[in-house]
Amino acid sequence: MTTNTNAALGGTFLLGGDLPVHRLGFGAMRLPTGTFQGAVRDPETGVAVLRRAVELGVDHIDTAWFYRRGAWRPTT
């Protein structure tokens, strides 16, 4: 796949007030499965997706704990 799109075209902002990142990031919520409740995908596919995102200039990958699968259990 060829594209002329680059994450840098959207400009930058300061994450946490001091770390410049491109405005276009990558939300990794569905990276492990491809769907919200689907089967786990091949890890090599996920690695390829992340590598492509970085090639396109993405420098902020959102891997928030909020994206976990399964029931939430508070820590004590």
Side-chain angles (χ1 to χ4, degrees), residues 10-60:
T12 61
F13 73 99
L14 295 178
L15 183 65
D18 63 351
L19 177 65
V21 295
H22 295 126
R23 290 188 178 279
L24 179 61
F26 179 81
M29 181 166 93
R30 297 188 326 179
L31 185 64
T33 61
T35 65
F36 289 109
Q37 296 181 3
V40 175
R41 76 171 60 183
D42 177 22
E44 290 302 315
T45 301
V47 169
V49 168
L50 291 173
R51 285 186 175 149
R52 182 65 177 144
V54 171
E55 287 172 5
L56 292 172
V58 171
D59 58 5
H60 176 238

